[in-house]
């Protein structure tokens, strides 16, 4: 039997990759984990989320969520969920308050920071962007570029994962930018909570036991040693340490729950406001989940169903956050022992209704014609950009077209100068960083330009 994970170690305030503690806070209200939140907010990768798709690609209406607004809302929910869940643990273990006097505040701040960053690695065009990048590397066009790669490196690309791209953003510094190695320099605790899938793209079949943390992977081969370092610092339990395969940081369950809650309910809200889901169908379903025996919803006479929808959504999220916090408190001892690996949201009392919400969203929102048309275009755009720039990189700028394309590529993504001795895999990953980091509009504009479909404005 393994010794359980320990909260004092799991909440390590040390910053990656330096093992030294930061200078003690002069202002305790802005602790180490609040600084993590602030660092994410001020990062360029986070700022680009304002022009990346959440559900409706290239939205023309103000009330539809982007990746940025979704991330902000998830962080708000995550902060409340982290603090409430921690209070359940403090009530069950008086010694914990002696060990960690700011335990509830710290848990809330860590979960909020990790939630804020949870989509920071997602490419343009929503989740179809991940599929578009994966599909390109599965195509015959990409085969020559993958010939020198290991099986694990090929798996990284052919099953491209926004979570792994996010971990890379948080922990990687480009050689063309500086000699630093810290990325955003976040604490180990926040990096642990961020990593919902603490495994590489390939792990031994014998080590798999199933569970929520094994559905995807959390880091590329380039960040394998970095994640191993994070896991060791935090004392995460290993499933197969030699393969870099671990049990989750306990707070990652809360990050996942906050994200699940927000995208299910708020995407549904977007579908209602866009007219893709009928209010006479959607509102009763949300009211049923709220289960309002006191009749507070019905005590107000609503003149605009959209305002009623906002009120119901707010109260429903509050109710489910409280229920999720209680569930985490129940399962925390098993989580610390590595014996629990399920999505908390599936244990909610209204899980069947949430599945109906998801079904309606899939059929009437995610599969609506505007979404499908623009997501299909995303396959052409992202695949086309990767194909054009990879050809230029591996041609080393020998051809006229290659030289022009390489000049369009920002220096940090070129395998030259400070990065002259990189492998074929790293060259490809640099190019994938470039494409995945674009906003929807930037990717579309550059694709049109290099294909000669549309010249830049001013010409």
């Amino acid at each position: 039997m393994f010794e359980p994970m320990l909260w004092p170690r799991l909440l390590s305030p040390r910053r990656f990759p330096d093992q030294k503690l930061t200078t003690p806070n002069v202002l305790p209200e802005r602790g180490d984990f609040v600084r993590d939140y602030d660092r994410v907010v001020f990062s360029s990768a986070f700022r680009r989320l304002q022009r990346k798709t959440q559900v409706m690609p290239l939205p023309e209406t103000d009330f539809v969520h982007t990746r940025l607004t979704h991330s902000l809302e998830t962080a708000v929910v995550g902060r409340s969920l982290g603090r409430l869940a921690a209070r359940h643990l403090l009530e069950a273990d008086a010694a914990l308050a002696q060990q960690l006097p700011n335990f509830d505040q710290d848990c809330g701040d860590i979960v909020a920071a990790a939630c804020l960053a949870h989509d920071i690695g997602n490419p343009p065009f929503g989740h179809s962007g991940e599929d578009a990048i994966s599909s390109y590397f599965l195509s015959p066009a990409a085969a020559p570029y993958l010939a020198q790669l290991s099986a694990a490196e090929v798996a990284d690309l052919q099953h491209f994962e926004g979570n792994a791209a996010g971990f890379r953003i948080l922990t990687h510094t480009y050689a063309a930018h500086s000699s630093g190695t810290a990325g955003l320099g976040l604490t180990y605790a926040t990096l642990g909570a961020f990593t919902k899938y603490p495994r590489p793209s390939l792990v031994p079949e014998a080590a798999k036991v199933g569970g929520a943390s094994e559905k995807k992977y959390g880091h590329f081969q380039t960040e394998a040693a970095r994640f191993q370092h994070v896991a060791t610092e935090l004392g995460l339990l290993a499933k197969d340490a030699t393969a870099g395969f671990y049990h989750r940081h306990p707070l990652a369950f809360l990050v996942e729950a906050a994200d699940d809650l927000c995208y299910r309910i708020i995407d549904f809200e977007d579908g209602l406001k866009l007219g893709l889901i009928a209010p006479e169908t959607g509102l009763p379903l949300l009211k049923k989940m709220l289960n309002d025996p006191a009749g507070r919803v019905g005590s107000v006479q609503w003149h605009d169903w959209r305002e009623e929808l906002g009120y119901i959504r707010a109260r429903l999220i509050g109710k489910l956050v409280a229920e999720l916090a209680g569930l985490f408190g129940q399962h925390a001892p098993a989580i610390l022992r590595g014996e629990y690996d399920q999505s908390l949201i599936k244990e909610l009392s209204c899980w069947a209704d949430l599945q109906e919400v998801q079904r309606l969203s899939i059929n009437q929102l995610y599969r609506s014609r505007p979404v499908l048309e623009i997501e299909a275009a995303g396959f052409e755009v992202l695949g086309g950009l990767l194909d054009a720039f990879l050809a230029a990189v591996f041609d080393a700028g020998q051809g006229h077209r290659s030289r022009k394309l390489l000049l369009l590529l920002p220096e940090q993504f070129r395998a030259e100068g400070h990065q002259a001795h990189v492998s074929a895999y790293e060259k490809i990953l640099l190019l994938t960083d470039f494409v995945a980091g674009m906003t929807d509009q930037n990717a579309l504009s550059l694709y049109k330009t290099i294909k000669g479909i549309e010249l830049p404005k001013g010409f």
Side-chain angles (χ1 to χ4, degrees):
M1 279 292 291
F2 291 107
E3 290 295 320
M5 292 180 274
L6 301 173
W7 283 113
R9 194 168 175 184
L10 290 165
L11 269 56
S12 172
R14 292 185 174 92
R15 296 199 172 276
F16 176 87
D18 188 0
Q19 289 281 337
K20 295 177 182 178
L21 282 168
T22 56
T23 303
N25 297 322
V26 177
L27 298 174
E29 64 270 19
R30 188 172 181 264
D32 289 290
F33 309 125
V34 174
R35 293 180 188 181
D36 285 348
Y37 187 98
D38 297 349
R39 290 183 182 201
V40 174
V41 166
F42 281 96
S43 68
S44 58
F46 182 74
R47 188 165 59 251
R48 287 195 295 273
L49 295 180
Q50 68 182 313
R51 304 297 294 277
K52 287 192 178 187
T53 292
Q54 171 62 15
V55 177
M56 184 61 69
L58 307 174
E60 296 180 1
T61 54
D62 292 336
F63 54 75
V64 174
H65 290 78
T66 65
R67 286 284 180 194
L68 183 76
T69 48
H70 167 70
S71 297
L72 290 166
E73 290 171 349
T74 303
V76 169
V77 171
R79 179 180 290 110
S80 297
L81 183 54
R83 289 183 181 178
L84 285 172
R87 285 170 194 165
H88 281 282
L89 301 186
L90 290 171
E91 289 171 3
D93 183 1
L96 192 56
Q98 296 294 322
Q99 287 181 297
L100 299 166
N102 298 317
F103 182 66
D104 54 346
Q105 180 174 325
D106 286 347
C107 285
D109 291 341
I110 292 166
V111 175
C115 284
L116 192 71
H118 84 280
D119 274 349
I120 204 166
N122 279 39
F125 303 105
H127 287 292
S128 72
E130 292 174 303
D131 295 337
I133 293 172
S134 301
S135 294
Y136 172 74
F137 286 112
L138 285 163
S139 72
Y145 308 123
L146 306 182
Q148 302 176 42
L149 275 57
S150 70
E153 291 168 344
V154 171
D156 284 356
L157 298 168
Q158 293 185 340
H159 304 280
F160 181 82
E161 179 53 54
N163 289 283
F167 187 81
R168 179 169 166 84
I169 288 169
L170 299 181
T171 61
H172 176 72
T173 300
Y174 291 103
H177 285 165
S178 78
S179 61
T181 58
L184 297 189
L186 304 185
T187 63
Y188 288 93
T190 294
L191 289 173
F194 169 86
T195 308
K196 294 187 289 186
Y197 308 105
R199 48 158 288 191
S201 57
L202 286 184
V203 294
E205 287 297 321
K208 295 180 180 178
V209 295
S213 68
E214 295 185 14
K215 293 188 300 182
K216 301 179 182 180
Y217 67 96
H219 60 79
F220 298 127
Q221 288 300 302
T222 44
E223 281 70 57
R226 294 175 194 164
F227 178 70
Q228 188 97 12
H229 181 61
V230 171
T232 301
E233 167 69 17
L234 296 170
L236 300 186
L237 294 180
K239 293 184 179 180
D240 186 333
T242 59
F245 189 15
Y246 288 84
H247 289 277
R248 273 181 176 171
H249 188 293
L251 296 183
F253 287 92
L254 299 181
V255 174
E256 178 184 61
D259 182 30
D260 284 347
L261 198 58
C262 285
Y263 92 76
R264 286 175 186 272
I265 293 177
I266 297 175
D267 284 5
F268 190 68
E269 180 183 16
D270 278 352
L272 283 159
K273 288 185 175 180
L274 286 167
L276 297 171
I277 300 171
E280 55 268 24
T281 300
L283 281 173
L285 181 54
L286 295 176
K287 288 178 181 178
K288 180 184 176 188
M289 284 192 288
L290 181 57
N291 187 20
D292 181 36
R296 287 172 60 188
V297 173
S299 66
V300 176
Q301 185 176 359
W302 298 96
H303 304 297
D304 186 335
W305 66 266
R306 294 171 185 81
E307 291 301 308
E308 182 181 13
L309 170 63
Y311 178 75
I312 294 169
R313 178 255 303 147
R315 288 203 55 215
L316 178 58
I317 288 177
K319 173 190 172 182
L320 298 184
V321 162
E323 189 176 347
L324 285 165
L327 288 168
F328 182 81
Q330 293 172 28
H331 293 299
I335 290 172
L336 291 169
R337 295 192 301 268
E339 296 171 359
Y340 178 89
D341 192 6
Q342 303 300 322
S343 296
L344 289 171
I345 198 170
K346 292 183 178 181
E347 296 192 37
L348 286 172
S349 57
C350 63
W351 172 239
D353 294 319
L354 278 171
Q355 287 180 295
E356 177 62 12
V357 163
Q358 185 74 350
R359 186 190 69 80
L360 287 169
S361 294
I362 290 171
N363 292 335
Q364 298 182 35
L365 175 59
Y366 305 148
R367 293 177 183 168
S368 64
R369 188 171 184 86
V371 171
L372 292 176
E373 286 178 343
I374 299 179
E375 287 187 345
F379 276 76
E380 296 299 319
V381 170
L382 300 187
L385 289 173
L386 285 168
D387 197 51
F389 281 98
L390 280 170
V393 166
F394 280 86
D395 182 44
Q398 295 301 308
H400 293 296
R401 184 169 187 264
S402 295
R403 285 198 295 273
K404 300 295 183 184
L405 285 171
L406 287 180
L407 288 173
L408 291 174
L409 193 61
E411 184 182 358
Q412 68 266 29
F413 303 116
R414 302 181 205 165
E416 59 184 36
H418 297 286
Q419 307 164 90
H421 304 292
V422 300
S423 66
Y425 169 66
E426 290 173 300
K427 289 179 182 179
I428 297 170
L429 201 57
L430 284 170
L431 227 300
T432 307
D433 289 348
F434 170 60
V435 172
M438 289 181 170
T439 65
D440 296 17
Q441 290 86 347
N442 186 210
L444 182 59
S445 175
L446 183 59
Y447 176 78
K448 288 180 177 179
T449 298
I450 67 171
K451 292 295 184 181
I453 298 169
E454 184 179 286
L455 291 177
K457 292 180 180 179
F459 286 79

